Amino acid sequence: MKQFIIVVFCLFSGLVSAQSAINIIPAPVSVREGAGFFSLKKGGLIGYEQPEAGWAAGYLADELNRSTGYGLKTTQSKTPAVLISTGASDKTLGQEGYRLEVTTKGIKIDANTPAGAFYGVQTLLQLFPAEIRSTSVVEGVNWNVPVVSIADQPRFGWRGIMLDVSRHFFSVADVKKYIDEMARYKYNTFHWHLTDDNGWRVEIKSLPKLTEVGAWRVERHGRFGERAEPRPGEPATYGGFYSHEDIREVIRYASERNITIVPEIDVPGHCMAALAAYPELSCTKQQVSVNPGTDFSDWYGNGTFKMNVENTLNPSDEKVYEFLDKVFTEVAALFPNQYIHVGGDECYKGYWKEDPGCQALMEKQGIRHVEDLQGYFMSRVGQIIQSKGKKMIGWDEILEGGITPGAAVMSWRGVKGGIQAAKMGHEVVMTPTTYAYIDYNQGDQTIDPPIYSGLRVSKSYSFEPVPDGVEAKYILGGQANLWTEQVPSLRYAEYMTYPRAWALAEVYWSPKEAKNWNSFASRMEKHFRRSDAAGVNYSSAVYDPAVKAKRENGQLLLVLESEISGVDIHYTLDETMPDNRSPKYSIPVPVPDGPVNVRVQAYRNGTPSGHLITLKRSQLEARAQ
Ligand code: ACM
């Protein structure tokens, strides 16, 4: 009975004790802690039973050697310190699952596939001290792994992150580093947003101007969306693109880490870079520039908008489909993934409405509303994708005007598009803005540079990808999306991605019943130390309280809510900088009249954590409304 209780208690690693050395993200399905530890020794061997398990063994040896300096070698012999096998023949582990046994004498990883073996290795690495992530040799660390027995497999088959490389360009080295970090959290899908108004990033050999012209824009600094227009004759010097060789290199690197790449060619909207190269593909045929981040659209707050510069392909022009056939021929040949993402989002129809060719097409097709012309366009795109032997996936706007048979839907404007698509029998990837848009601010809106909205890590963690009333089999999984209007570098991409992508990794991998915010938060803090060792950036906004205000009997009250437990919040109302002797928040605080500023600083274990938040009384007043 005692044994039974221990097993149940530890069944989800999310529930292992706070003192445990086991802090795995995403939480494995089952974890049984034992007593003692395995101690890694210099010159040991990493073994693999089958040649196909050799890559995971080599990866593990490289990872361990970098920080331990132990010179571990791989071997196909039977008596190594760590043995990796892909011969588990265990149906319960599926295509990506693994078993990991750590005893005081050695470590064994069993899986059915190289992917499972790779994930066993990732879990094992997370059992080592944080310094294992160091990029150079660290002396004086006991490289111990706790005795444990883990069995694990994912909840969803699609666990993705989207990186927008159009708004800002990321080099091959950056993309590889981003992918490497994703793989450590068992993401298996890299959605590569390759084209948009601000740069076309994939070489299409049959359409050379796409990258000769479309990959480059004038250099601008400052807030994206408020930048100045290109001047006549100004050279376009900012940008870049991926050659076919580059793409093949990234695909190989990703596939070694069990990551498949979904390329996105975003049509018919978001096409200004393509139209800068080939203006004849628009309705007005006016020459446009690759957009450097100017304000060219009006948003009316109810999902409607206007593009003041044309960024849409002309659906009534057969040349557009010839163009798309060329693009998708090369994209389909480059990328092995069965899915090609065709965008479909935020397509402004104003230029279509004015265009005689579009009107004639609508009449011919019996299409009454211009909005529904997108359905015609998407079905033509779907035929092209199908003719290349691929499956089409698009943003949830592809439901409008009639969804193409067999198309998969990426639900971003909430989950309602996903629900609608699943009920029609279409595959769905869930990535609603409200939980999965990691371009949004993570803490107080006054701290990070302003962007469309906010999304705290606890909100991401609370996401449930299978809505009530939807058959789970239609939900392929979910994604985090990083749009990069305000993300100019890999370092900042990491800052925006983590820790929210850790939270979503757990949403998409771990059993629904295992979800436990307090457990995740405690493990997240351990992973901050791992990221510190690795030099990977993350946001510490989780320490920042939500700063709220209310009015009671005419009195303005300051209300501070911490996202995680164990944080002390200190504040001042006297124009001084808060420290850990300043008043500690426990109950709502009356804010005196006058030109008062409130300053708030969180402390974790006596150390200032997160950001100093400063708000004027008027800002608090607004929050009390
Ligand atoms: C999107 O965020 N426009 C898909």
Side-chain angles (χ1 to χ4, degrees), residues 391-407:
K391 281 172 98 165
M392 168 167 139
I393 183 164
W395 300 110
D396 56 53
E397 285 94 332
I398 67 169
L399 284 155
E400 291 161 14
I403 183 169
T404 306

Side-chain angles (χ1 to χ4, degrees), residues 345-346 395 412 437 483:
D345 58 319
E346 296 174 327
W395 300 110
W412 73 280
Y437 265 43
W483 302 101

Side-chain angles (χ1 to χ4, degrees), residues 158-165 175 178-179 182 187-196 254 259-266 335 337 339-343 345 393-395 409-412 429 431 437 478-483:
W158 186 306
R159 305 179 303 279
I161 301 186
M162 187 214 74
L163 180 67
D164 164 11
V165 294
V175 171
Y178 194 75
I179 284 174
M182 283 171 61
Y187 281 99
N188 68 357
T189 303
F190 177 63
H191 171 172
W192 209 354
H193 184 79
L194 287 163
T195 72
D196 214 301
I259 289 184
T260 185
I261 300 183
V262 176
E264 180 181 351
I265 305 295
D266 196 352
F335 290 92
N337 195 310
Y339 293 97
I340 293 180
H341 200 301
V342 298
D345 58 319
I393 183 164
W395 300 110
V409 169
M410 204 167 255
S411 191
W412 73 280
V429 175
T431 178
Y437 265 43
Q479 250 185 219
N481 291 337
L482 184 58
W483 302 101

Side-chain angles (χ1 to χ4, degrees), residues 81 123 130 155 196 388-389 421 458 467 496 520 601-602:
T123 294
R155 179 175 174 202
D196 214 301
K388 312 297 166 205
S458 53
M496 297 306 287
F520 173 80
Q601 175 67 61

Side-chain angles (χ1 to χ4, degrees), residues 237-485:
T237 52
Y238 175 89
F241 65 91
Y242 310 105
S243 68
H244 285 201
E245 263 324 291
D246 291 338
I247 297 225
R248 279 193 276 268
E249 182 182 335
V250 174
I251 290 169
R252 181 192 51 73
Y253 184 87
S255 71
E256 286 171 346
R257 287 157 180 74
N258 193 43
I259 289 184
T260 185
I261 300 183
V262 176
E264 180 181 351
I265 305 295
D266 196 352
V267 291
H270 288 276
C271 273
M272 212 186 297
L275 294 176
Y278 297 102
E280 62 272 24
L281 301 178
S282 72
C283 290
T284 63
K285 309 198 186 321
Q286 267 170 19
Q287 182 65 56
V288 291
S289 305
V290 181
N291 191 278
T294 71
D295 175 8
F296 66 88
S297 55
D298 298 325
W299 295 83
Y300 305 119
N302 56 354
T304 58
F305 52 89
K306 175 171 185 230
M307 298 292 170
N308 300 311
V309 181
E310 192 176 7
N311 70 345
T312 38
L313 300 176
N314 177 355
S316 71
D317 187 347
E318 283 304 310
K319 287 204 175 57
V320 165
Y321 303 105
E322 287 163 26
F323 164 85
L324 291 173
D325 195 279
K326 287 182 180 168
V327 170
F328 287 122
T329 298
E330 294 191 33
V331 169
L334 271 172
F335 290 92
N337 195 310
Q338 61 173 328
Y339 293 97
I340 293 180
H341 200 301
V342 298
D345 58 319
E346 296 174 327
C347 172
Y348 174 62
K349 319 290 190 322
Y351 298 92
W352 296 2
K353 202 170 166 193
E354 304 297 316
D355 183 70
C358 289
Q359 283 164 15
L361 175 65
M362 284 170 62
E363 195 160 318
K364 188 167 159 212
Q365 295 291 328
I367 297 170
R368 289 181 51 206
H369 300 290
V370 71
E371 292 294 326
D372 294 339
L373 201 43
Q374 181 161 350
Y376 169 84
F377 176 88
M378 293 320 311
S379 79
R380 293 288 304 268
V381 172
Q383 284 162 19
I384 295 172
I385 299 294
Q386 200 180 17
S387 76
K388 312 297 166 205
K390 299 287 186 178
K391 281 172 98 165
M392 168 167 139
I393 183 164
W395 300 110
D396 56 53
E397 285 94 332
I398 67 169
L399 284 155
E400 291 161 14
I403 183 169
T404 306
V409 169
M410 204 167 255
S411 191
W412 73 280
R413 295 175 301 174
V415 294
K416 68 179 187 315
I419 294 173
Q420 187 189 340
K423 292 203 162 154
M424 292 161 73
H426 290 260
E427 293 174 329
V428 171
V429 175
M430 286 295 192
T431 178
T433 54
T434 38
Y435 297 94
Y437 265 43
I438 57 173
D439 58 326
Y440 288 2
N441 280 331
Q442 305 182 61
D444 196 276
Q445 293 294 300
T446 60
I447 298 296
D448 287 345
I451 185 90
Y452 313 114
S453 191
L455 172 61
R456 297 196 74 121
V457 58
S458 53
K459 182 82 192 282
S460 289
Y461 191 78
S462 71
F463 181 40
E464 169 45 43
V466 182
D468 287 344
V470 166
E471 270 191 83
K473 70 175 184 190
Y474 293 115
I475 309 298
L476 299 177
Q479 250 185 219
N481 291 337
L482 184 58
W483 302 101
T484 60
E485 285 94 322

